[in-house]
Amino acid sequence: MNIVVLRETQAGEARVALMPESVKKLIGLKAAVTIESGAGTNASRSDDDYREAGAEISDDRKALLQGADVVVAVNRPEDLSKFKPGTIVIGFLRPLDEPAALKPALESNLTTFAMELVPRITRAQSMDALSSMATVAGYKAVIIAAERLSRMFPLLMTAAGTVPPAKVLVLGAGVAGLQAIATARRLGAVVEAYDVRKAAGEQVRSLGANFLEVDLGGLKTEDAGGYAVELSDEALERGRQLIAKHAQTNDVIITTAQVPGRRAPVLLTQAAVTGMKPGSIIIDLAGSTGGNCVLSKPDETVDVNGIRIFAPLNLPATVPVHASQLYSRNITSFLTPLIKDGQLQVDMNDDVVGPSCVTHEGKWMNQRVAAAVAGS
Ligand code: NAD
């Protein structure tokens, strides 16, 4: 079986789906790996690095696609209709955000697996690419904030007097939010955080941050999988009021709140933003799903009376080596159980494989995606 790694074509993408260390592992399972020439360049991995790991290199994309049994990618390839029928495609396919874009995969009889749909069960932890990328994004958001803020993060006691620490508010304390809290704390900031899930409180406090609680009157805020559910407008409004109050005293706000498959909740209103101190910074990590701040614009910087709002769309791509390393390990963990003696054996009844599948043999395998396509 031949596993093909494509060069990413999306603007600004610097990650690669497999790093040479993973190529070696897959070749150890008797698979062949072919890399599209230059696929690793932006993640500091040359064609020679891949050759040394045992891969073939080709710059003929058409021939690569015709010879592929499995294609692994970071982002959904734009040329799915040119893939050979029956090819397995694995990557961030955005099945719930852009379901209609997967119609060519259905029409070409591709078997597609979306890393976004890998269930968060214990056995699949090593395949959890969403967590890997959220970790990178949470870290990098704080680094950007620290670099752009006109103040320092740590408390400093100098001969010229005391410099107070920066204050950071993190909205949404999932994987990205917790990493942002940890990173801001390491830089010496005073941190507080808000999340609708009560369970997040303990994790926030264990990182040395203050947890902001809102009385939602016993409302159910999370589903069986541990994800937040979409809240009523009234419940959201209670959160917004508390956030607006705390926004006045913080130098940096990092927002990470998401509800899977839905628009991101609006947590920062215009009044909350204009109530912040001039020079404050907002980093909105929910830009790709509509943003947590009502004023943020995806991939742009907005300046409101000296308060700057950034909504970067792809922070993991700005840390391409480590983001690729983590992603590559996630992909390899997903692929390994599908390879037996160098041959593909895909068991759709497996409790990780089945739920991750979007299309197979010309059918939608995921009911949520099928419903989203029908409604689009
Ligand atoms: P996510 O990216 O979907 O959301 C980020 C955070 O936003 C979540 O903590 C969510 O509660 C919060 N949020 C949503 N709506 C909000 C609102 N209106 N106000 C404030 N906060 C809001 O989530 P995620 O980071 O991918 O993970 C969420 C959950 O999944 C957590 O419980 C996490 O511990 C769990 N998880 C489990 C595993 C595993 O078991 N393998 C792996 C990763 C994450």
Side-chain angles (χ1 to χ4, degrees):
M1 65 168 285
N2 189 22
I3 301 169
V4 165
V5 180
L6 296 179
R7 196 168 50 219
E8 297 295 315
T9 55
Q10 187 176 300
E13 186 54 79
R15 291 169 291 176
V16 58
L18 285 183
M19 292 292 253
E21 58 169 48
S22 303
V23 168
K24 256 190 205 155
K25 276 198 181 151
L26 292 166
I27 288 174
L29 298 174
K30 299 188 198 153
V33 180
T34 314
I35 310 283
E36 186 172 15
S37 179
T41 307
N42 293 329
S44 309
R45 296 299 181 270
S46 66
D47 288 352
D48 279 345
D49 292 333
Y50 284 102
R51 272 192 202 99
E52 256 171 53
E56 297 281 319
I57 310 291
S58 162
D59 55 8
D60 183 347
R61 189 167 174 117
K62 205 171 155 200
L64 270 175
L65 293 180
Q66 285 313 306
D69 297 304
V70 179
V71 173
V72 290
V74 179
N75 302 294
R76 186 189 59 238
E78 288 308 314
D79 45 0
L80 287 173
S81 57
K82 298 189 181 133
F83 287 33
K84 193 178 65 178
T87 308
I88 292 180
V89 185
I90 308 173
F92 282 126
L93 306 180
R94 302 179 62 80
L96 295 169
D97 299 324
E98 295 168 354
L102 284 167
K103 273 188 193 165
L106 186 85
E107 288 154 8
S108 304
N109 273 342
L110 308 184
T111 297
T112 50
F113 292 105
M115 291 310 279
E116 296 94 328
L117 297 179
V118 171
R120 280 170 154 179
I121 57 175
T122 308
R123 183 163 77 81
Q125 266 179 5
S126 61
M127 312 170 196
D128 187 352
L130 279 182
S131 286
S132 298
M133 298 305 113
T135 300
V136 178
Y139 159 82
K140 191 65 190 277
V142 173
I143 300 302
I144 291 175
E147 196 261 322
R148 299 195 182 164
L149 192 68
S150 52
R151 312 166 63 89
M152 290 188 281
F153 265 40
L155 165 80
L156 295 178
M157 290 193 188
T158 78
T162 300
V163 175
K167 291 187 170 175
V168 176
L169 171 60
V170 176
L171 303 179
V175 181
L178 291 173
Q179 186 55 233
I181 295 169
T183 306
R185 290 277 301 137
R186 281 186 205 119
L187 288 179
V190 171
V191 184
E192 49 190 11
Y194 169 70
D195 198 295
V196 283
R197 292 179 302 110
K198 267 218 161 6
E202 199 180 313
Q203 293 165 324
V204 167
R205 284 188 280 266
S206 75
L207 291 170
N210 181 34
F211 187 61
L212 308 179
E213 284 191 71
V214 178
D215 180 7
L216 296 176
L219 198 81
K220 182 173 165 287
T221 57
E222 64 184 278
D223 64 16
Y227 283 107
V229 294
E230 201 169 26
L231 297 185
S232 66
D233 232 21
E234 194 207 325
L236 271 175
E237 187 51 32
R238 287 197 204 178
R240 283 188 206 117
Q241 284 174 13
L242 179 81
I243 290 163
K245 192 167 144 233
H246 284 261
Q248 295 170 6
T249 54
N250 277 281
D251 303 301
V252 172
I253 301 184
I254 292 174
T255 79
T256 74
Q258 304 266 10
V259 177
R262 301 261 184 277
R263 190 209 180 281
V266 173
L267 299 178
L268 272 173
T269 59
Q270 178 155 2
V273 174
T274 52
M276 292 179 79
K277 293 177 286 185
S280 304
I281 284 184
I282 297 167
I283 312 261
D284 188 343
L285 291 191
S288 66
T289 49
N292 292 139
C293 175
V294 78
L295 298 176
S296 62
K297 294 206 176 117
D299 245 358
E300 286 184 31
T301 303
V302 178
D303 190 319
V304 186
N305 305 336
I307 298 141
R308 281 174 300 157
I309 308 164
F310 303 89
L313 287 184
N314 191 357
L315 282 186
T318 68
V319 193
V321 171
H322 279 153
S324 301
Q325 244 163 30
L326 296 172
Y327 185 69
S328 170
R329 288 176 197 158
N330 295 142
I331 289 276
T332 306
S333 294
F334 185 86
L335 260 176
T336 300
L338 307 187
I339 305 172
K340 302 263 163 20
D341 270 335
Q343 299 301 315
L344 270 171
Q345 268 187 31
V346 180
D347 174 10
M348 288 296 174
N349 293 319
D350 180 273
D351 57 2
V352 175
V353 176
S356 311
C357 188
V358 187
T359 61
H360 180 56
E361 295 177 342
K363 290 195 280 284
W364 293 109
M365 298 293 280
N366 181 292
Q367 293 323 307
R368 277 181 78 191
V369 180
V373 174
S376 66

